[in-house]
Amino acid sequence: AQRVTQVQPTGSSQWGEEVTLDCSYETSEYFYRIFWYRQLFSGEMVFLIYQPSFDTQNQRSGRYSVVFQKSFKSISLVISASQPEDSGTYFCALSELITNTGKLTFGDGTVLTVKP
Amino acid sequence: EAAVTQSPRNKVAVTGGKVTLSCNQTNNHNNMYWYRQDTGHGLRLIHYSYGAGSTEKGDIPDGYKASRPSQENFSLILELATPSQTSVYFCASGDLWGQNTLYFGAGTRLSVL
């Protein structure tokens, strides 16, 4: 069974600081993807970045990057130069490729507050 | 830009009543999904579909039915709504080919009284 855990229910930073949000997961599959989404205060879910399990290189997209530690089944989202507009809830989600259904298993999220 | 539209955005229903939540996507994605989100938690998968005419059970399908009459439309049906089904419901579409990012609708807030 797959499971995603985000142990930090909340986090905070000051404007301009780098923020790291942690996620761990359980899966018996070798091929999978880890996605990061941000939920705005309106409820909208916005895709940020994803990491395929077979890629040893940490993915980057703009101010977002990940630190992928496959052997520990953990992945962190790093937001550089955080801004108040980055505030919201961040979700980590796992998709197993072997079944190829595309469905995501989500963690419970981390609520980030970036202070001006 | 991917477009997934849900209706209604808010719904109040009575216990035992029938509720239908609708979702339309203009992305021409094969896959569509229904999730629910309870306060303070992540999204949990109810039903999903690979294409018109197909529906599959997700992780928490009890009390819900789904219908996929066309590529664009995917409905979630609560035949006998209960207060425990009060939640926010999200529809998403995705394409298995490529990176398979899911694109979400804005959500439907359902209250069952």
Side-chain angles (χ1 to χ4, degrees), chain B residues 82-108:
Chain B
T82 68
S84 65
Q85 294 176 312
T86 293
S87 190
V88 180
Y89 292 84
F90 287 93
C91 176
S93 75
D95 197 334
L96 286 178
W97 314 113
Q99 69 178 36
N100 194 36
T101 301
L102 294 195
Y103 296 92
F104 286 85
T108 294

Side-chain angles (χ1 to χ4, degrees), chain A residues 94-111:
Chain A
L94 168 70
S95 177
E96 293 177 338
L97 295 182
I98 193 69
T99 58
N100 213 22
T101 63
K103 58 181 183 177
L104 296 176
T105 298
F106 285 83
D108 284 342
T110 297
V111 180

